[in-house]
Amino acid sequence: MNILIKHIADYVGQRVTIKGWLYNSRSSGKIAFLELRDGTGFVQAIASQADLGDDVFSRVTSLTQESSIIVSGNVAAHPKKEGVFELQILSIEVVQLAQEYPITPKEHGPDFLLNNRHLWLRSKRQWAVQRIRDVVIDAIYEYYHQNDFIKIDTPIITPNACEDSTELFAINYFDEGEAFLSQSGQLYLEAAIMSVGRAFDFGPTFRAEKSKTRRHLTEFWMMDAEAAYVEHEESLQIQENMIVHIVQRCLEKCRQEFQILERNTEPLENIRAPFIRLTYTEAIKRLQSLGSDIQFGEDLGNDDEGLLTENEQVPVFIHKWPKAIKPFYMKIDPENPELVLNNDLIGIEGAGEIIGGSQREDDYETLKARIEEMGFKGEEYEWYLDLRKYGSVPHSGFGLGLERVVRWISGVEHIRETIPFPRLINRLKP
Amino acid sequence: MNILIKHIADYVGQRVTIKGWLYNSRSSGKIAFLELRDGTGFVQAIASQADLGDDVFSRVTSLTQESSIIVSGNVAAHPKKEGVFELQILSIEVVQLAQEYPITPKEHGPDFLLNNRHLWLRSKRQWAVQRIRDVVIDAIYEYYHQNDFIKIDTPIITPNACEDSTELFAINYFDEGEAFLSQSGQLYLEAAIMSVGRAFDFGPTFRAEKSKTRRHLTEFWMMDAEAAYVEHEESLQIQENMIVHIVQRCLEKCRQEFQILERNTEPLENIRAPFIRLTYTEAIKRLQSLGSDIQFGEDLGNDDEGLLTENEQVPVFIHKWPKAIKPFYMKIDPENPELVLNNDLIGIEGAGEIIGGSQREDDYETLKARIEEMGFKGEEYEWYLDLRKYGSVPHSGFGLGLERVVRWISGVEHIRETIPFPRLINRLKP
């Protein structure tokens, strides 16, 4: 019976066939130990010269790394390690004897590995990170569908910029002139929720950050969510419940991946709602008392985010920022017209900002004045302003950076390892 | 208690609050009937002058279309219609009295509606289509996760073209020169499955089809799937099982949406595996016998697809096409070197081609020769050829066009209605 390694526990004592690749091997006299992988997991397969005969055994011991092989054998529980299973090989078919594989257990530089990303993905750590990424994605879909949000695919090709237009990739769009790759689907989601109530998007976004380092992705995946009749406080609850849900699902499904990554899961096990809430004003005071020279009205730097979270067990909301340093669409705090009802969510363990969100300005005149203050022409936002003419409602939303969440949960250092094929300022291939 | 309309059946006899919009209203003497919507559904709410008093009743009857309102009342089962519920209004709060709404029950032209897409989405039919789209998306994720595929996000910004490079949107990519928006993640998925075994992507793809009509989308969503050790026949089974799963989920979850769209669901209820399989050669013969003047070696047109499916209850696979009219990466049919192991899947009811797929060429020398035959330089495909050096395995995959599937299942005529914010050759806004 053909099986996948992830299901091997169900087949103890039975003969099975596994189709995969040789990840690693060592031999000791008349016994060889092959580490097989099939994409769903890894298993040790044991070849015995006595069982297989001299010819077959000799072929087995000369298999190269990454050779594709189909192995049949009996499944046994590992004599000492609980939850570990082995395969006693009865027959083996070599699909292809691999040429000498360029990625070896020795250390390689990042450029070499990135040039060979199509192969590097097969390394155990990279495999584990991609599987965690998939579980994070799936948990997000699950959370939203359980909470009555539907997916609305917002457009990638857009006529105007949601945020800073200096960091946009431009394309020529037929007779319509220049168009830009989206940095956020938020404004479109705001239109959609006036139809469907609650919606999320989840797609690629693009930032042509010329000034940024080689460590910044130019293409990355964002999940935006938006909900009608949801105000600031409820939005924070939706955000924290989502993060708790994602972490729980990873803990349930990714034990093996965390082991491979040597990820201490204790900090993840302690994640529960409610998260810590600091107003921006409180955060500035706390930072100053901790020795930071940050002043009210300034954005937080990485060091500030680190200081605010270093002794915390759960992520930290920083909310109600000065409107002067935030985009026009955030709703003015009714208790203080210099502030907006927004929030960042700063992860623990150096994760940085993983979510940014706000209640949206729903008053037509206030929003129009804010747009004009920012120096935008009214015309390009006319459709957006329409949403405040025809049944405007209080509403809130936020955006989550997938790669930042995957980096935090998987515990890898570099964000480039969290996306299958990273696009960096100096890297477009493979 | 605040509830969503979709859950109203659980609250018969109770007082609830619904936050939404006025979709429609009529009054008859001392009774007014309001059709409320909240994004999750529609419900009739009944206002009685006797219950509410003259002032409130007068405000209710002067509410404009799309006004945002919060309504409290008692839930009752409709006296005559099973499964229909009503709200007897006890109080009403007007969040915003809407200005005169531009979209009225009268007929509007497509340009007017597309210019107002941000509002048009609120119309019942557009709402229903977007909800079906969400169920299709969710069913696809569910199907793949149940079948041991993981999501791998393939890059959008790519250095080379998977298919025809004349239909690509180009961007300037820093010092790396010109880059293109992806038309397919297939080649990248092929690399990924050598790590994770089975993978799918699901993202936006772009076609700058200058020669095409105004009815073609330039931005649309594709789902690509790819699996190691899966050959042609098993790939067809994966495809048909996926379609059956999608249709089943829509039938389970979208009864109300189908009613709104006046979609006869009988053809959907008859969709079951296996689908019909015709070789390309058989299809050409059948078409000729049906009066088509198509010749062997030609691609099928819309009319041909219609002829082959018009009397069928299930979609039709047309497989094993001449290699001369197919891309280089398709595996040569071992039984006939002029054919490839590919397939299209043609939907019933005029759905057209909803899937295209193939087994992939896994032999290094054959693939290299095919690439050179096509006039490509080896260099840009070097990484792709690597996959055939290091543990090459038989593998297959296919791509599904989301909008085509949504168009078929929802029964709407125009593909532009199946995507929230359509991008057409002459349309970039809103």
Side-chain angles (χ1 to χ4, degrees):
Chain A
M1 181 183 306
N2 294 322
I3 69 157
L4 298 172
I5 292 172
K6 71 185 284 193
H7 302 135
I8 198 166
D10 301 335
Y11 296 92
V12 172
Q14 296 183 49
R15 178 170 180 160
V16 301
T17 299
I18 291 171
K19 300 177 173 184
W21 294 266
L22 181 65
Y23 190 69
N24 217 334
S25 66
R26 62 191 167 86
S27 58
S28 162
K30 298 181 173 188
I31 301 283
F33 300 93
L34 312 185
E35 190 178 13
L36 300 186
R37 61 174 192 84
D38 73 348
T40 72
F42 295 81
V43 68
Q44 178 163 270
I46 301 159
S48 138
Q49 189 168 11
D51 288 353
L52 297 176
D54 293 354
D55 282 2
V56 174
F57 186 76
S58 149
R59 283 182 67 200
V60 165
T61 54
S62 61
L63 283 173
T64 49
Q65 185 187 351
E66 286 302 314
S67 288
S68 39
I69 52 180
I70 298 174
V71 178
S72 289
N74 290 322
V75 178
H78 190 285
K80 291 175 191 161
K81 296 180 195 162
E82 202 177 343
V84 176
F85 302 89
E86 296 180 331
L87 197 68
Q88 192 71 39
I89 299 177
L90 296 170
S91 75
I92 188 163
E93 177 192 339
V94 180
V95 179
Q96 189 194 42
L97 192 67
Q99 296 183 27
E100 194 182 349
Y101 195 62
I103 301 178
T104 59
K106 82 175 168 93
E107 283 286 312
H108 297 282
D111 268 346
F112 177 83
L113 291 171
L114 285 167
N115 286 335
N116 287 285
R117 183 63 173 169
H118 56 295
L119 302 176
W120 186 27
L121 282 172
R122 304 183 191 188
S123 298
K124 227 176 215 182
R125 287 177 56 88
Q126 301 304 312
W127 174 87
V129 173
Q130 291 311 314
R131 291 189 68 89
I132 290 171
R133 181 181 169 105
D134 171 66
V135 172
V136 171
I137 294 169
D138 196 38
I140 289 173
Y141 275 85
E142 187 181 49
Y143 178 78
Y144 284 106
H145 281 119
Q146 285 176 353
N147 287 279
D148 301 306
F149 289 70
I150 74 166
K151 185 161 195 243
I152 287 287
D153 292 314
T154 52
I156 308 301
I157 302 178
T158 48
N160 54 6
C162 182
E163 314 227 348
D164 182 354
S165 68
T166 60
E167 297 180 343
L168 294 172
F169 287 109
I171 62 172
N172 290 318
Y173 197 81
F174 310 110
D175 299 337
E176 304 293 309
E178 209 168 33
F180 304 95
L181 301 189
S182 175
Q183 292 194 330
S184 164
Q186 176 202 318
L187 306 193
Y188 292 97
L189 272 191
E190 288 186 59
I193 60 164
M194 304 303 160
S195 167
V196 302
R198 300 171 157 221
F200 70 107
D201 69 12
F202 202 165
T205 50
F206 304 89
R207 243 166 243 195
E209 296 185 284
K210 295 186 189 67
S211 61
K212 290 297 175 76
T213 74
R214 294 173 175 220
R215 293 187 311 184
H216 279 75
L217 298 173
T218 56
E219 174 181 316
F220 51 97
W221 282 64
M222 284 280 291
M223 190 289 305
D224 296 296
E226 199 78 25
Y229 286 107
V230 165
E231 302 188 39
H232 181 61
E233 169 59 29
E234 189 179 353
S235 174
L236 300 187
Q237 291 167 16
I238 292 171
Q239 293 171 50
E240 67 195 357
N241 289 336
M242 173 185 61
I243 295 293
V244 169
H245 182 79
I246 292 170
V247 169
Q248 283 305 316
R249 280 287 180 269
C250 289
L251 287 170
E252 287 163 26
K253 296 183 175 177
C254 300
R255 287 278 158 204
Q256 184 189 5
E257 290 79 357
F258 287 135
Q259 267 180 10
I260 288 169
L261 294 165
E262 296 171 302
R263 169 66 159 118
N264 172 16
T265 55
E266 205 180 307
L268 299 178
E269 283 152 16
N270 290 328
I271 300 294
R272 53 180 63 88
F275 294 168
I276 292 163
R277 287 163 201 214
L278 294 177
T279 63
Y280 171 85
T281 309
E282 288 166 345
I284 296 297
K285 283 186 191 145
R286 181 172 301 183
L287 285 169
Q288 288 170 341
S289 79
L290 292 169
S292 169
D293 55 4
I294 193 168
Q295 298 299 313
F296 188 95
E298 292 177 358
D299 201 358
L300 271 61
N302 286 343
D303 292 348
D304 299 315
E305 293 175 351
L307 276 174
L308 288 175
T309 52
E310 66 184 353
N311 295 315
E312 304 299 351
Q313 304 268 304
V314 296
V316 177
F317 283 116
I318 301 172
H319 65 142
K320 301 187 180 176
W321 290 54
K323 78 171 181 187
I325 57 172
K326 288 293 169 183
F328 67 85
Y329 49 71
M330 294 184 172
K331 186 172 177 69
I332 306 287
D333 182 356
E335 295 175 3
N336 181 340
E338 292 308 311
L339 304 179
V340 287
L341 294 178
N342 78 316
N343 73 277
D344 282 358
L345 180 64
I346 314 299
I348 58 170
E349 303 181 277
E353 182 194 332
I354 52 180
I355 293 181
S358 77
Q359 188 165 338
R360 316 306 187 185
E361 186 53 70
D362 52 84
D363 180 72
Y364 180 85
E365 294 299 340
T366 309
L367 182 63
K368 191 156 188 284
R370 293 273 282 152
I371 287 173
E372 284 162 5
E373 264 169 50
M374 307 295 271
F376 296 118
K377 287 176 201 145
E379 196 193 330
E380 62 212 32
Y381 290 107
E382 204 171 335
W383 68 267
Y384 184 64
L385 282 162
D386 270 359
L387 309 177
R388 280 75 181 168
K389 280 187 194 168
Y390 307 112
S392 190
V393 300
H395 63 287
S396 303
F398 53 87
L400 169 145
L402 175 62
E403 286 76 18
R404 291 187 179 184
V405 171
V406 174
R407 177 175 170 272
W408 166 46
I409 291 179
S410 65
V412 300
E413 187 184 348
H414 294 297
I415 202 145
R416 62 182 180 237
E417 298 186 31
T418 63
I419 189 164
F421 296 92
R423 297 294 180 245
L424 308 167
I425 192 164
N426 63 333
R427 176 162 298 281
L428 181 57
K429 299 177 183 178
Chain B
M1 179 184 307
N2 293 323
I3 69 157
L4 298 173
I5 293 173
K6 70 186 283 197
H7 301 135
I8 198 166
D10 301 335
Y11 296 91
V12 173
Q14 296 182 48
R15 179 171 178 159
V16 301
T17 299
I18 292 173
K19 300 177 174 185
W21 295 264
L22 179 65
Y23 190 67
N24 215 333
S25 67
R26 62 191 164 86
S27 58
S28 164
K30 299 182 172 186
I31 301 283
F33 300 92
L34 312 185
E35 191 177 12
L36 299 185
R37 61 175 193 84
D38 73 349
T40 73
F42 295 80
V43 69
Q44 178 164 274
I46 301 159
S48 137
Q49 192 169 6
D51 289 353
L52 297 176
D54 292 355
D55 281 2
V56 174
F57 186 75
S58 150
R59 282 183 68 200
V60 166
T61 52
S62 60
L63 284 171
T64 49
Q65 186 186 350
E66 286 302 314
S67 289
S68 40
I69 50 180
I70 299 176
V71 178
S72 288
N74 290 321
V75 179
H78 189 284
K80 292 176 189 162
K81 296 180 195 162
E82 203 176 346
V84 176
F85 302 90
E86 295 180 331
L87 196 69
Q88 191 73 39
I89 300 177
L90 295 170
S91 74
I92 187 163
E93 176 192 338
V94 180
V95 180
Q96 190 194 41
L97 192 67
Q99 295 184 28
E100 194 182 350
Y101 195 62
I103 301 177
T104 57
K106 81 176 170 95
E107 283 287 312
H108 297 282
D111 268 346
F112 177 82
L113 291 171
L114 286 166
N115 286 336
N116 287 286
R117 183 61 172 171
H118 56 295
L119 302 175
W120 186 28
L121 282 171
R122 305 183 190 187
S123 299
K124 225 175 213 183
R125 286 176 56 89
Q126 300 305 312
W127 174 87
V129 173
Q130 290 311 316
R131 291 190 68 91
I132 290 171
R133 180 180 169 107
D134 171 66
V135 172
V136 170
I137 293 169
D138 195 40
I140 288 172
Y141 275 85
E142 185 182 50
Y143 178 78
Y144 284 106
H145 282 120
Q146 285 175 354
N147 287 280
D148 301 305
F149 289 70
I150 74 166
K151 184 158 195 243
I152 288 286
D153 291 314
T154 53
I156 308 300
I157 301 178
T158 48
N160 54 9
C162 182
E163 314 227 346
D164 182 353
S165 68
T166 60
E167 296 181 344
L168 293 174
F169 286 109
I171 61 171
N172 290 319
Y173 198 82
F174 310 110
D175 299 337
E176 304 293 309
E178 208 168 33
F180 304 95
L181 300 189
S182 175
Q183 293 195 326
S184 164
Q186 176 202 319
L187 305 193
Y188 293 97
L189 272 191
E190 288 186 61
I193 61 165
M194 304 304 161
S195 168
V196 301
R198 297 170 162 222
F200 70 106
D201 68 13
F202 202 164
T205 50
F206 305 89
R207 243 165 242 194
E209 297 185 283
K210 295 187 190 67
S211 61
K212 289 300 175 73
T213 73
R214 294 172 175 220
R215 292 187 312 184
H216 279 76
L217 297 173
T218 56
E219 173 181 318
F220 51 96
W221 283 64
M222 284 278 294
M223 190 288 306
D224 296 297
E226 200 77 25
Y229 286 107
V230 164
E231 303 188 40
H232 180 63
E233 169 58 29
E234 190 179 353
S235 173
L236 300 188
Q237 291 166 16
I238 292 171
Q239 293 170 52
E240 64 196 359
N241 289 337
M242 173 185 60
I243 296 292
V244 169
H245 182 79
I246 293 170
V247 169
Q248 284 304 315
R249 280 288 180 269
C250 289
L251 287 170
E252 287 163 27
K253 296 182 176 178
C254 301
R255 285 281 158 202
Q256 184 190 3
E257 290 81 357
F258 287 136
Q259 266 179 10
I260 288 169
L261 294 165
E262 298 172 300
R263 169 67 159 117
N264 171 16
T265 56
E266 206 181 308
L268 299 177
E269 282 152 16
N270 291 328
I271 299 295
R272 52 181 63 89
F275 294 166
I276 292 162
R277 288 162 202 217
L278 294 177
T279 64
Y280 171 86
T281 309
E282 288 166 346
I284 296 297
K285 281 186 192 146
R286 182 172 301 183
L287 284 169
Q288 289 170 341
S289 79
L290 292 169
S292 168
D293 56 3
I294 194 169
Q295 298 298 314
F296 188 95
E298 293 177 357
D299 200 359
L300 271 60
N302 285 343
D303 291 350
D304 299 315
E305 292 175 352
L307 276 174
L308 288 174
T309 51
E310 64 184 356
N311 295 314
E312 304 299 352
Q313 303 269 306
V314 296
V316 176
F317 284 118
I318 301 172
H319 65 142
K320 300 187 180 176
W321 290 52
K323 76 172 182 189
I325 58 172
K326 287 293 169 185
F328 67 86
Y329 49 72
M330 294 184 172
K331 187 170 177 69
I332 306 286
D333 182 357
E335 294 175 4
N336 182 339
E338 293 308 311
L339 303 180
V340 286
L341 294 178
N342 78 318
N343 73 275
D344 283 357
L345 180 64
I346 314 299
I348 57 170
E349 303 181 276
E353 181 193 332
I354 53 180
I355 293 181
S358 77
Q359 190 165 338
R360 316 306 189 186
E361 186 53 70
D362 52 83
D363 181 71
Y364 180 85
E365 295 299 339
T366 309
L367 182 63
K368 192 159 189 287
R370 292 274 282 152
I371 287 173
E372 285 163 3
E373 266 169 48
M374 307 296 271
F376 296 116
K377 288 175 200 144
E379 196 191 330
E380 63 213 31
Y381 290 107
E382 205 171 334
W383 68 268
Y384 185 65
L385 282 161
D386 271 358
L387 308 177
R388 281 72 181 170
K389 279 186 190 168
Y390 306 113
S392 189
V393 300
H395 62 289
S396 304
F398 53 88
L400 168 143
L402 174 61
E403 286 76 17
R404 290 186 180 187
V405 171
V406 174
R407 178 174 169 272
W408 166 46
I409 291 179
S410 66
V412 299
E413 188 183 348
H414 295 296
I415 201 145
R416 62 182 180 234
E417 298 187 29
T418 64
I419 189 164
F421 295 94
R423 296 294 179 245
L424 308 168
I425 192 166
N426 63 332
R427 175 163 299 281
L428 179 57
K429 295 178 187 178

